[in-house]
Amino acid sequence: MFWTLITLLTLSLLPSPSLTKNSTLHNPIFPGFHPDPSCIFLPHPNQTFYCVSSSFNAFPGIPIHSSQDLQNWHLIGHVLNRKEQLPRLAETNRSTSGIWAPTLRYKDGVFWVTTTLVNDHLPQTEEDRWDNIIFSSSGDISDDASWSEAKHFELVGYDPELFWDENTGKTYVNAAHAWQVGAYIVQNEIDLSNGGELIGEWRVIWNGTGGLAPEGPHIYFVDGLYYLLAAEGGTGVNHMVTMARSKSVQGPFEGYEGGNPVLTNANTSSYFQTVGHADLFEDAKGNWWAVALATRSGPEYLHYPMGRETVLTAVRWEKGGFPIFTPVSGEMSVWPLPVSADTISPESINSDAEELLTFGPGTNLPKHLVHWRYPNPDHFAVSPEGHENTLRLFPSNINLTGLNGNYAGPEGQSFVGRRQQHTLFTFSVDLDFTPTDLEEEAGVTAFLTQNHHLDLGIVLLPDQKTGENKLTPHLRFRGESYLPVTKEVAVPVEEEWRGKTLTLEIRARNETHFEFGFGLKGGGDIKIVAVSGNEVLSWGFTGALLGVYCTNNGNGGTTPGYFSNWSYVPRGQFRG
Ligand SMILES: *[C@@H]1O[C@H](CO)[C@@H](O)[C@H](O)[C@H]1NC(C)=O
Ligand SMILES: *[C@@H]1O[C@H](CO)[C@@H](O)[C@H](O)[C@H]1NC(C)=O
Ligand SMILES: *[C@@H]1O[C@H](CO)[C@@H](O)[C@H](O)[C@H]1NC(C)=O
Ligand SMILES: *[C@@H]1O[C@H](CO)[C@@H](O)[C@H](O)[C@H]1NC(C)=O
Ligand SMILES: *[C@@H]1O[C@H](CO)[C@@H](O)[C@H](O)[C@H]1NC(C)=O
Ligand SMILES: *[C@@H]1O[C@H](CO)[C@@H](O)[C@H](O)[C@H]1NC(C)=O
Ligand SMILES: *[C@@H]1O[C@H](CO)[C@@H](O)[C@H](O)[C@H]1NC(C)=O
Ligand SMILES: *[C@@H]1O[C@H](CO)[C@@H](O)[C@H](O)[C@H]1NC(C)=O
């Protein structure tokens, strides 16, 4: 007791090594489809970090994550959570469309999210491609209902952010001009008193350093100077973060001579490629941090089904200088993380905990499950009467490809999935499905976009083995991609298995290949129907979703599929 006390006293008088010892940080902090992160730190009431990220056509959209230690991150809600907030998401065409690059900011009790609803429909003009919008919440942001409807403002461009200038008392919106018609960072003044009305004209404040498409601007006022951060190079392997500064919020901004890019993994052999689109924030101790997007794909940049993920890095920002970013990697030594938490809790988005969903009576779909655009709510039911502990999906007329692999029409697709968040995983569900009409289908999918997905379903077809016309349930694997996909397979379900509950499974065999299999529920054995390289799901702006679907493939059938025992088992997280 006595010695313990002495020891404690001695320790508290000496500079404690534990206070200065670096922490180990693991990237990505938000594994799976979470691009274009933007974060803030709120000292009060609970020293909490909040982040948002892009969701494209996924709904609910604009996920919000929070943390107090920068290690355990929790999905607390979604900014875009009701169709009434932004009906136009239902009309987007092509997988590059939807919600791009939200910026999260906080001012005087109000949370603000600025973003762009992009519609890449064809034919297209720059004027009708971009719908720039503002959401706000002055309540508890984990309560979805606290988020406002979208307020629209005019900008031929994207990636807007709000900046409150303490010197002039004015509020600015900074954004990227549509780069095909002139690549600059632009600024305007905005009045937020009625949700967001532009006051002036858009002015160019910086042209970037000469890289492709300067975008994702953020201004920070630090030690008397305005620092402007931007992304350049496009979101592929040439992606980078560049900076400039000015004495005035309105510019002119001067690039960091000799110091740009301040962060990139371009031209390296790092496993983490495409690092860029960053945002900076300071913790309670005055340490700076940055989030950015990255792709675990290096150096070949061929296999990255999880798409663009969110990474964190430490930043040294000394008085009078530009910030110095620590290059991004999978395991990093960084200065002490806010609260030491040695274990990641099972509820954290970055944990390796298994997921088992049983769809019990009185429960709802968990909030990390997403649809592609707005679903038809009548098509989804948890534990319907007579089918307790199942998720019932009524079929949509369109399948996962929809119309042309781009548009889906107003009807919506009967699909729900979760992000692939581990390099190696096994995803399986049990399915009860007794199709009665031609082309009725229910199954599991690894879905990246409407024109990039791999599906294993039970489908009613004329017997493919005997060639007879008799409609017979088949196991069918088929896929869509811009790259060649594994040939379609359709085999009749063995006679003694018809009408029984089957287990359908998608498994990452290794870093580059997925396999699709099925078995009798509880039977143990899974028979592999198809193996596919995952480069066919490595494309574009989004990341793979693993989920279930039900469709009549346009033939009018109405038989529902009953899914149960949804299981996602992480089996390996590669960090390079
Ligand atoms: C702050 O933390 C306390 C203790 O963990 C918790 O009870 C409270 O709900 C938190 N408040 C907010 C606004 O998150
Ligand atoms: C969607 O885009 C495709 C081409 O990508 C085009 O053929 C089709 O007309 C578009 N549909 C709508 C409704 O914009
Ligand atoms: C940006 O480049 C344009 C030419 O494309 C030039 O007219 C303009 O002065 C430049 N603006 C700034 C702020 O450097
Ligand atoms: C990567 O290398 C290419 C070719 O040398 C060069 O053009 C490009 O600027 C480099 N990118 C970065 C971000 O350094
Ligand atoms: C500790 O973290 C800081 C900030 O990331 C970094 O600059 C420094 O190199 C790290 N120190 C060690 C010994 O790794
Ligand atoms: C991954 O699996 C595929 C398909 O079986 C195989 O061709 C490939 O060699 C495997 N890759 C590794 C690294 O084991
Ligand atoms: C989707 O449905 C259309 C008919 O609506 C059909 O032509 C197409 O083959 C189906 N494709 C996939 C991959 O589901
Ligand atoms: C649920 O699925 C898991 C993984 O496939 C399996 O181990 C378990 O036995 C299943 N449970 C039930 C109740 O079917």
Side-chain angles (χ1 to χ4, degrees):
M1 174 64 185
F2 176 75
W3 289 108
T4 312
L5 196 61
I6 292 288
T7 313
L8 282 175
L9 282 171
T10 318
L11 279 179
S12 64
L13 292 174
L14 294 171
S16 163
S18 68
L19 285 179
T20 51
K21 216 177 113 196
N22 271 13
S23 305
T24 301
L25 166 69
H26 288 108
N27 274 319
I29 55 164
F30 309 161
F33 167 32
H34 294 103
D36 312 316
S38 169
C39 304
I40 56 172
F41 172 66
L42 290 194
H44 307 292
N46 273 356
Q47 301 206 342
T48 307
F49 301 89
Y50 296 97
C51 304
V52 294
S53 49
S54 295
S55 48
F56 293 85
N57 287 313
F59 177 82
I62 318 180
I64 311 167
H65 292 94
S66 82
S67 175
Q68 287 174 355
D69 60 10
L70 295 174
Q71 291 185 96
N72 283 278
W73 288 93
H74 300 275
L75 175 67
I76 60 166
H78 291 88
V79 175
L80 176 56
N81 56 71
R82 321 178 287 283
K83 190 174 182 178
E84 310 78 75
Q85 289 175 288
L86 188 62
R88 276 193 70 198
L89 179 71
E91 295 162 28
T92 60
N93 196 357
R94 299 169 81 194
S95 54
T96 50
S97 296
I99 296 287
W100 283 27
T103 294
L104 174 64
R105 293 294 183 254
Y106 176 85
K107 179 75 175 166
D108 300 335
V110 184
F111 291 85
W112 297 91
V113 169
T114 43
T115 184
T116 315
L117 175 68
V118 178
N119 191 355
D120 278 343
H121 65 100
L122 293 174
Q124 175 194 83
T125 66
E126 289 295 335
E127 280 66 30
D128 65 6
R129 185 179 183 201
W130 314 106
D131 182 2
N132 282 283
I133 51 187
I134 304 178
F135 295 104
S136 60
S137 165
S138 46
D140 168 8
I141 56 170
S142 66
D143 174 8
D144 281 349
S146 77
W147 287 98
S148 69
E149 292 188 1
K151 172 82 183 176
H152 304 257
F153 65 93
E154 289 288 322
L155 162 67
V156 182
Y158 57 103
D159 291 3
E161 73 148 2
L162 294 174
F163 179 77
W164 290 265
D165 181 30
E166 58 191 74
N167 293 315
T168 58
K170 292 179 174 171
T171 307
Y172 292 91
V173 47
N174 306 309
H177 190 261
W179 63 273
Q180 282 104 328
V181 291
Y184 344 96
I185 302 302
V186 292
Q187 185 179 75
N188 205 332
E189 209 186 310
I190 194 162
D191 174 6
L192 293 175
S193 61
N194 52 1
E197 296 284 350
L198 295 176
I199 292 177
E201 297 294 317
W202 289 101
R203 294 175 301 104
V204 178
I205 56 168
W206 194 40
N207 282 345
T209 65
L212 181 75
E215 58 193 15
H218 296 307
I219 289 184
Y220 311 93
F221 183 62
V222 176
D223 292 330
L225 289 173
Y226 296 87
Y227 288 83
L228 170 60
L229 174 150
E232 290 186 54
T235 196
V237 289
N238 292 317
H239 209 198
M240 57 184 171
V241 182
T242 57
M243 289 191 80
R245 69 180 176 189
S246 172
K247 291 197 176 88
S248 160
V249 64
Q250 301 191 352
F253 282 87
E254 284 181 25
Y256 182 13
E257 199 66 48
N260 278 324
V262 290
L263 179 68
T264 187
N265 274 2
N267 300 324
T268 70
S269 59
S270 173
Y271 187 44
F272 287 74
Q273 290 289 320
T274 77
V275 174
H277 201 112
D279 196 6
L280 285 160
F281 52 96
E282 196 179 8
D283 70 17
K285 285 197 195 128
N287 286 329
W288 284 87
W289 302 90
V291 282
L293 72 81
T295 312
R296 281 183 280 171
S297 60
E300 300 86 358
Y301 198 50
L302 184 60
H303 296 274
Y304 50 95
M306 288 179 281
R308 302 175 306 154
E309 309 176 282
T310 292
V311 293
L312 178 69
T313 189
V315 176
R316 184 183 298 278
W317 201 338
E318 276 158 15
K319 212 176 161 88
F322 278 88
I324 298 163
F325 293 66
T326 311
V328 169
S329 61
E331 190 176 293
M332 304 177 55
S333 174
V334 293
W335 39 54
L337 290 156
V339 177
S340 103
D342 297 329
T343 50
I344 301 274
S345 80
E347 303 79 34
S348 304
I349 181 195
N350 38 350
S351 86
D352 292 329
E354 295 182 10
E355 165 172 282
L356 179 64
L357 304 182
T358 54
F359 307 112
T363 64
N364 293 317
L365 285 181
K367 61 177 165 236
H368 67 282
L369 298 194
V370 293
H371 307 278
W372 205 239
R373 305 192 190 84
Y374 300 114
N376 178 342
D378 299 340
H379 283 195
F380 297 82
V382 172
S383 266
E385 215 184 317
H387 295 270
E388 284 72 20
N389 305 303
T390 71
L391 169 65
R392 183 185 66 198
L393 259 59
F394 277 118
S396 47
N397 293 309
I398 49 173
N399 56 32
L400 292 171
T401 302
L403 310 170
N404 311 319
N406 294 300
Y407 190 55
E411 182 203 6
Q413 286 154 307
S414 292
F415 160 75
V416 66
R418 54 155 292 147
R419 288 159 171 85
Q420 179 197 342
Q421 295 190 284
H422 295 82
T423 324
L424 302 182
F425 66 88
T426 303
F427 171 71
S428 69
V429 290
D430 295 337
L431 172 61
D432 262 313
F433 181 54
T434 314
T436 55
D437 281 358
L438 180 68
E439 284 282 357
E440 284 187 326
E441 177 175 359
V444 292
T445 180
F447 180 93
L448 183 77
T449 68
Q450 282 169 254
N451 44 33
H452 294 79
H453 56 97
L454 302 172
D455 316 330
L456 177 66
I458 297 173
V459 57
L460 201 66
L461 296 173
D463 195 314
Q464 307 283 297
K465 205 164 173 183
T466 63
E468 285 165 24
N469 275 335
K470 185 168 173 285
L471 291 179
T472 309
H474 286 67
L475 270 144
R476 179 167 71 186
F477 167 87
R478 63 176 182 176
E480 292 266 338
S481 176
Y482 288 166
L483 293 177
V485 290
T486 299
K487 217 170 114 254
E488 179 172 325
V489 181
V491 288
V493 176
E494 288 153 57
E495 212 141 347
E496 63 273 28
W497 287 16
R498 292 183 196 159
K500 295 198 171 144
T501 308
L502 299 186
T503 299
L504 301 182
E505 182 178 288
I506 306 174
R507 185 170 180 274
R509 170 175 289 193
N510 57 30
E511 207 178 336
T512 59
H513 283 73
F514 287 0
E515 58 189 35
F516 295 77
F518 76 103
L520 197 58
K521 175 186 163 69
D525 286 349
I526 295 291
K527 296 184 190 195
I528 307 302
V529 177
V531 176
S532 170
N534 63 25
E535 72 283 355
V536 300
L537 300 180
S538 304
W539 178 84
F541 296 160
T542 60
L545 303 170
L546 304 165
V548 299
Y549 67 93
C550 187
T551 175
N552 61 34
N553 284 297
N555 286 282
T558 57
T559 308
Y562 296 92
F563 296 92
S564 55
N565 196 24
W566 165 303
S567 158
Y568 174 85
V569 181
R571 296 187 359 260
Q573 190 67 292
F574 292 13
R575 303 183 199 276

